Structure formats: C-alpha cells, structure tokens
Amino acid sequence: MNPLSALDNPFRQNIVADAWRPAEVDVPEIHREAFETCDRAYELVKSGRMSRSVFLHGPAGSGKTHLLGRLQKHLTQTRDDLLPCIFVSVRLQTSPRMIWRHVRRRFAEDLLRPVADGATQIQHLIAGRLAGMDTKKRSTSNWLQWVRAQPVRKTEKFEHNLDQLARGAGLDHELFQVLKNVLLDRHRNDARNWLMGDNLTESSRKELGLSEQPPGDLDQETLAQEVILNLCRLAGPGRPVVLCFDQIEALQSHPEDRDGLFRFGQVGATLFNSTDNLLLISCIQSALMDNLKSAIRDADYDRITQEAKVLNPLTYDQAVRLAACRLEAEPILKKLRAEHPDSPTWPLETEEIKTLFQSRPCPARKVIAACDTLFEQARGRQVPKIDDQTFIEKEFQRLREAALKQTPPDETDENLTHALPLLAEMIEPTLLPSAASSGVDLLVGRSSRTVGLVLANHRNMTSLAARLRRLEEKPPDLGLSRLVLIRDSRLPIKRTAKVTRERLAGLQAKGLRLVQPSIQVLAALKALRTILSEAKSGDLANAGVSIGPKTVQEWLAANLDESLRVFFEDLVGSTTVASEKDTDLLQDIAEELEEHFILPLADLDRNLGHDSLERIEDAVRRHPDRFGLLAGPPSVLFLYAPPDLSSGD
C-alpha cells in the first residue's frame, strides 16, 4: 500500500483569501524585505506619533495577501498581556461610491474579533487606554481582566472611566454610547450593527441610548469617515492602527474605469492626513501601478506610497524551500521523508519543480498548485483537469449558495451599488454616474430612456419617510423617463408606518416604480460581483493560473442567471412589475410572516382584515420567491427561506 495514500495533501491550500486566516506554513525568507519594510514602518508609527504608508505590488499569485497574513500573525501577538496594535484588513470588493461605508463595516468586524487570548481587539484597546490614564499604574493585564469582567459586573466606575476616556479622545456621542453597550454586552446585535453602519429601527436606537432618528446633516459616506477617524483617535498614541487594503482592482467596473482608483487615492490620503497613529498598507497587481498613478492626484499618490515594495516571483531555490516546508509540516510525512535525505522535496521530483522555471519566474501560487498535482501523482492518483469554463461555473454556484445563507438586508445597498454597474455592462445599457445631489443613487440608460434608481433599504421608518418626502418635494430633475425605488423584499413596511406607506403610495401614483428583489436575486448579484472582484485582483485561479475578468465576464453574460435578467428588466423596462400590484397587501403578508413564520391562510386573512382569501392566495402565488403555500385543508402560508443546498436534499 502506498504510504502517502492516507495523508492529507499539504499543497491543497494555494490561495490565502483573508489576512486573518494566514497559511499554516510560512517561509519567512520569501518576501522578507517587504515584510521587514512593513515592520519598520510599524515601529516608526508606534514610536514617532506619525502615520506611515507602504505599498505592495506584484504579479497575480505572488503572495500579497499571504504577506498580510504573516504580518497580522506577527503584530497581533499579545505583548505584556496587551495587544500592541489594532489590525484591520479590508478587501475592496465594493462600489467606489461606498468605500468609506465598506471600510467602516470591515473595521467594526475586526474590532469585535477575538485575538489569541480570547479578548476582542476593542477590549484590548479600551484596557490599554484606561491603563494609560491610571495614576496608580496598575498593569495593563489587570485592566484587561477588569474590562472583560464588566458585562457581568456593570459597575458605575467603569461607565465613569469610559466617559472620561471618550471626552479625552473627543469621541462622537453616538459612537461613545454604542461602544459602552458593546463593552457592557448590552443590546449586542444592535450595538454591533450600528458600529458597522447599519440603519437601525427607532426602537433599536432608543435601546442604545440614541435619538430615534439618526443625524440627517451628513451623508452616509461622511458619517462612515467620521466614525473611522474617531476609532483611530480612540486607539491613541503609541498604539498603531494597521489598516490593510487588498484587492484595490475590484473598485474598477471596467479596465478603463478611473473613478474607483481616484476615490481610493482620496480615501487613503484622507486617512493618512487625518491621523498620527496609522500604518496604511495597500496591495495591487504591478500591472495596474501606472493606471493608479495616472488616475489619482500626485499628492494622494505620495501619501499612500511612502515606501513601495515589489513582491517578485519565486526563485527555484525558494520554490524548493517552500515545497520542503509544506512537506515537513505533516508529522507522518516528515518521518517518511527522513528515509530520503538526498531528496529535498521527496516524494516530489525536484526536476519536475525545476521545469516550472524554464521559461520565466514562477509565482508562489503556481508553484503550490504544481506541487499539489505532483503529490497526487506520487500517491498514485490522477488529477483531472478542469477547463476554465467549468471552473467558473462551479465557483459561481459555490458563491451563490454561500450568499443565500449570508446576505443580510443590511448589505443590500452595497450589494446593489457594486453589482448593478457590472450587471448593466453585461446586458446592454450604459450605466451613467449619478450626482450626489440628484436624489438618485444610480442612473441606467437604455437608448433615449434614462432610469433613476433610488435605494430605500432603511430599517428606520422615520428615515425612510424623510427620504420619500424629499423625493416628493424635490423630484430629481435629470430628464428621467422613470424613477425606480428598490427595497429588499425582506424589509416590509409595517402597517404602523402609516406616513411612510402614504408617501410611497403617493409617489407610485405619480409614476414611481417599486421593485423588491428577492434573496435569490440578491445572492446571485453578490456571487456575480464577488467572482468578478476575485478575477480582477488575480485571485481567481484554476490550477494556479489566474483567470482574467474578461473570461469571467464572457461566461457570466452567456450563462446569466435568469432571475437577474428579469430583475434588470423590472428596473429598466416599461411593463408593470409583479411587486407593484397590491403593494400594501404584500407588505402586510410579509410583516405577519416575519413575526409568525407560518400561518393558516384563514388566520392570516383574519389578522389582516382583508375580505378575500382568493386575493391573498393570488398575491402569494405570484411571489414564490418570497412566500410558500401548502395546499389544505387548511391552506398554510410560510415565509420562504432558501434551501440548505449543502445538505444534498
């Protein structure tokens, strides 16, 4: 029996997709110079109270995210029982118009992330600041234990200390209130959602100690920027915030798009100029460096590229070392390898690895993929080759199935804003940029028709009513042929929101179209934008070879999900869409089922006070993507939920 047959393949992981999940095996000498540049910049920020920036670039598969993972592992090791920095990793899979909001969401997620000792980054941050204010000079370890104990104790002294800290750091009142709830573990979900920038209901805001309606004097991008800068100030002197930007390429809707790169330059420069404790690390493919430099202002470019380092492909010696390290990491395999001291890569043939370097340098990802195949062959297995089209199809299906389970309504605005330009480019119309003051979020043009799209996925009915009032009082004056309001079908406008419903009905009477995408549509959009983002950044690879965005876009256009075609036609077409019929009835049904999940048809009719079972049943049958109906007697309605596609049922 082949002794390798029962072992795991140590080369199966060939892409590091997230800096928080670094490769299990690392070879420090690979890209050592770039790593040391980042580490020196970190030490300068820590000691000099001055922000710094490092720009990393290299070919696809060269290991940019791998290096960020190594840096994360190095910097988030607690020293003297305290986390020495705040580490945030942002993959820029978003619309250029929502960069700040996207960064805020990722920043919040990473602040609430537990590190090695089980405490979250925000707990470490607060403990460090309180220790710095302590005149008795108690250890940071004691302060961290005290902070972690507060959800149980909830002492007045803790709230007093937090209040002092907030005033000293100049924190915004709302951010202070939310952080207090986070640290005391009160209203956990609402506090987390606020921190990530979600629009909360009036009751949720009240529970957090906030006014029922969010401030209306700043747009959402500016609000997100202010929260991020507040959090950087909260970290305080001597504790760097290490903010890593990856997949910058995903900001471009097409290869000639300059807006995404320009806005990235603005964001990076603003972060650099407005802080004194930030280490900004950015990653991009070398092929886009010239595009980046020409797209952004010289001053912005200088801010974000204080030091630039290229991640070169591997040399042959480095490839052998990488293969050997992965093979040595498996204990049983290491024991078997001891019997072959003259072969540094046993059970792989070194000559086979050498062939990778015959014509050109080889990126790390390609080396690992080749070793994966060689290892399978060494244990007597043939690795079937998958063509790019099949690979794309499987990856898209995987991403869509994941999105069906993990696409909450709070991400709908970002999902639509990022995905719709990509979808529009595939189908036919030309997407036009919209002005921030126009009252619309996106414009889509078809021949002589221009459709304005308004995103209205507010949970807070007061905010939604205010948005609708602005549309009533000052309709967009852009020569629009139609105005379309998009609201996630999982967000019913409840019967108690009478003013909101009345304003919506009034706008519909004047020609506004309401389109309510289902979870299936939103999941397909998320899969579409994710796979294109991966392709643009060089992270979509078949057997170690990157698949370009053009190939992916062509496959998507030829195999476009039918639900996306219907959804897009609902947006730009001239016929009435199904969701516009019986708008209030559909909202009522969704509201009831959101509370009860499943109801006999007769009970639903009685709860709603409608006079026709047939009318309810007809509305439900027209929306199988939102509601389910079990024939009776008695007939039963239930809220549609995507099937568990992983179960095989």
Side-chain angles (χ1 to χ4, degrees):
M1 180 179 175
N2 190 326
L4 305 175
S5 59
L7 301 180
D8 291 334
N9 187 329
F11 302 99
R12 190 45 46 93
Q13 182 195 24
N14 59 37
I15 293 180
V16 176
D18 184 351
W20 283 100
R21 293 194 292 271
E24 294 179 4
V25 178
D26 190 24
V27 184
E29 54 261 41
I30 296 176
H31 306 319
R32 183 189 296 277
E33 184 179 352
F35 175 81
E36 290 177 348
T37 297
C38 293
D39 198 34
R40 281 196 305 271
Y42 166 80
E43 292 296 336
L44 287 172
V45 175
K46 187 175 181 179
S47 61
R49 301 190 65 174
M50 180 184 300
S51 292
R52 303 286 299 176
S53 67
V54 177
F55 212 95
L56 305 174
H57 63 97
S62 58
K64 296 181 286 294
T65 311
H66 181 107
L67 183 61
L68 295 183
R70 181 192 301 173
L71 192 66
Q72 176 274 128
K73 191 173 181 180
H74 170 68
L75 294 180
T76 58
Q77 293 176 348
T78 55
R79 303 167 192 177
D80 299 323
D81 296 317
L82 193 67
L83 192 69
C85 72
I86 299 300
F87 190 93
V88 179
S89 178
V90 182
R91 303 174 79 200
L92 286 168
Q93 294 187 3
T94 190
S95 162
R97 298 176 61 250
M98 297 189 74
I99 296 180
W100 283 110
R101 280 168 280 184
H102 181 73
V103 175
R104 175 180 177 175
R105 181 173 288 275
R106 301 285 87 80
F107 205 122
E109 287 179 347
D110 284 350
L111 272 181
L112 299 173
R113 184 189 296 272
V115 287
D117 62 357
T120 63
Q121 291 205 93
I122 187 64
Q123 288 175 325
H124 273 280
L125 186 158
I126 296 298
R129 290 305 305 269
L130 293 178
M133 296 165 49
D134 184 8
T135 57
K136 296 181 179 180
K137 303 300 179 184
R138 283 166 289 193
S139 71
T140 53
S141 176
N142 287 340
W143 277 104
L144 182 60
Q145 291 176 16
W146 195 61
V147 168
R148 296 183 72 176
Q150 290 312 304
V152 177
R153 295 179 181 174
K154 297 182 173 65
T155 62
E156 290 184 7
K157 182 180 178 182
F158 183 66
E159 294 199 39
H160 174 72
N161 286 342
L162 284 182
D163 186 57
Q164 283 188 311
L165 175 55
R167 284 200 302 269
L171 284 196
D172 171 80
H173 170 71
E174 286 211 349
L175 176 58
F176 166 62
Q177 283 294 118
V178 170
L179 286 177
K180 187 163 62 174
N181 280 282
V182 167
L183 292 163
L184 294 173
D185 201 26
R186 297 189 304 215
H187 316 298
R188 180 186 305 172
N189 290 337
D190 286 338
R192 177 187 179 90
N193 291 340
W194 184 97
L195 204 56
M196 292 195 295
D198 296 342
N199 185 268
L200 303 183
T201 65
E202 292 89 341
S203 61
S204 292
R205 289 182 58 83
K206 189 175 181 179
E207 291 282 355
L208 292 173
L210 311 176
S211 62
E212 292 188 8
Q213 185 176 1
D217 53 341
L218 294 175
D219 65 70
Q220 293 301 308
E221 280 290 273
T222 305
L223 282 170
Q225 175 183 322
E226 288 300 316
V227 169
I228 294 164
L229 295 179
N230 266 264
L231 290 170
C232 289
R233 283 199 299 273
L234 178 62
R239 183 183 300 278
V241 174
V242 181
L243 179 55
C244 304
F245 286 126
D246 202 0
Q247 295 195 336
I248 300 170
E249 304 90 341
L251 291 168
Q252 293 185 290
S253 59
H254 53 82
E256 287 73 40
D257 179 18
R258 296 167 61 88
D259 183 55
L261 299 179
F262 175 77
R263 288 179 185 252
F264 168 73
Q266 285 185 313
V267 169
T270 299
L271 285 165
F272 186 94
N273 293 332
S274 304
T275 59
D276 57 15
N277 63 336
L278 181 71
L279 172 56
L280 186 67
I281 302 176
S282 308
C283 301
I284 200 170
Q285 291 182 74
S286 296
L288 266 76
M289 283 295 289
D290 289 342
N291 290 2
L292 178 73
K293 189 168 185 177
S294 64
I296 68 178
R297 296 176 301 198
D298 289 344
D300 293 347
Y301 186 82
D302 291 341
R303 296 293 187 278
I304 64 177
T305 61
Q306 277 189 324
E307 295 187 80
K309 288 295 177 183
V310 60
L311 305 187
N312 291 309
L314 302 188
T315 64
Y316 168 68
D317 288 341
Q318 288 175 329
V320 170
R321 175 68 177 142
L322 174 59
C325 283
R326 288 222 174 189
L327 292 164
E328 288 288 300
E330 166 55 50
I332 298 177
L333 190 53
K334 182 177 181 179
K335 186 176 180 180
L336 293 172
R337 282 169 47 77
E339 301 173 9
H340 304 271
D342 297 330
S343 178
T345 60
W346 187 92
L348 313 184
E349 291 292 339
T350 335
E351 290 301 315
E352 292 286 348
I353 297 176
K354 188 177 291 186
T355 61
L356 298 172
F357 295 85
Q358 288 179 347
S359 58
R360 63 181 66 181
C362 194
R365 182 188 302 156
K366 189 173 181 180
V367 170
I368 295 171
C371 289
D372 180 2
T373 300
L374 291 173
F375 188 85
E376 292 301 309
Q377 292 173 350
R379 56 181 178 179
R381 299 180 185 176
Q382 292 300 315
V383 180
K385 291 185 178 180
I386 301 176
D387 62 84
D388 285 351
Q389 302 298 310
T390 302
F391 181 87
I392 295 170
E393 179 181 8
K394 289 184 175 182
E395 185 64 10
F396 181 79
Q397 296 300 337
R398 183 188 69 80
L399 290 170
R400 185 172 63 175
E401 291 173 12
L404 280 169
K405 302 173 185 178
Q406 298 177 345
T407 307
D410 296 307
E411 295 181 6
T412 297
D413 277 358
E414 183 175 19
N415 198 12
L416 291 168
T417 306
H418 191 201
L420 282 176
L422 305 173
L423 180 64
E425 188 179 355
M426 276 176 216
I427 295 181
E428 57 160 303
T430 302
L431 192 83
L432 308 173
S434 70
S437 61
S438 66
V440 301
D441 295 296
L442 291 169
L443 296 175
V444 179
R446 170 182 277 176
S447 302
S448 60
R449 293 169 50 82
T450 303
V451 178
L453 307 180
V454 178
L455 305 184
N457 296 296
H458 309 66
R459 291 186 185 272
N460 190 292
M461 289 298 102
T462 308
S463 298
L464 178 56
R467 181 77 194 271
L468 297 177
R469 186 187 69 245
R470 290 193 292 271
L471 289 176
E472 283 179 322
E473 295 174 350
K474 191 177 179 182
D477 184 19
L478 299 168
L480 300 177
S481 58
R482 184 182 291 276
L483 194 63
V484 177
L485 187 119
I486 309 177
R487 183 169 177 82
D488 193 316
S489 63
R490 296 168 293 174
L491 296 173
I493 301 174
K494 298 185 177 181
R495 281 164 286 175
T496 53
K498 294 180 181 179
V499 173
T500 306
R501 282 197 175 192
E502 288 171 1
R503 286 188 172 145
L504 178 58
L507 286 166
Q508 286 181 286
K510 295 177 182 178
L512 174 81
R513 167 174 288 175
L514 173 65
V515 175
Q516 298 177 272
S518 66
I519 177 59
Q520 293 94 326
V521 167
L522 295 169
L525 286 172
K526 186 173 182 179
L528 179 147
R529 72 188 185 98
T530 302
I531 197 170
L532 277 171
S533 296
E534 298 285 345
K536 290 173 185 177
S537 56
D539 289 337
L540 186 72
N542 180 13
V545 180
S546 295
I547 302 175
K550 183 179 179 182
T551 302
V552 175
Q553 192 169 21
E554 288 173 351
W555 183 90
L556 289 169
N559 300 274
L560 195 63
D561 192 295
E562 185 60 26
S563 67
L564 293 184
R565 291 190 185 278
V566 172
F567 170 62
F568 199 82
E569 190 59 35
D570 283 349
L571 298 181
V572 303
S574 56
T575 58
T576 301
V577 300
S579 60
E580 289 185 287
K581 299 175 182 177
D582 297 321
T583 298
D584 283 352
L585 174 59
L586 292 170
Q587 304 280 5
D588 292 346
I589 296 171
E591 180 182 354
E592 286 291 320
L593 292 179
E594 188 181 55
E595 180 178 354
H596 300 288
F597 299 106
I598 184 167
L599 270 178
L601 183 60
D603 289 0
L604 180 62
D605 177 60
R606 185 166 53 253
N607 291 353
L608 298 183
H610 292 285
D611 57 1
S612 173
L613 288 172
E614 290 77 11
R615 183 166 169 250
I616 296 176
E617 187 171 346
D618 177 64
V620 168
R621 290 189 184 280
R622 283 189 282 105
H623 294 277
D625 55 347
R626 296 175 60 183
F627 312 114
L629 176 64
L630 296 175
S635 295
V636 176
L637 296 180
F638 59 92
L639 194 63
Y640 173 84
D644 185 356
L645 299 172
S646 65
S647 66
D649 295 337

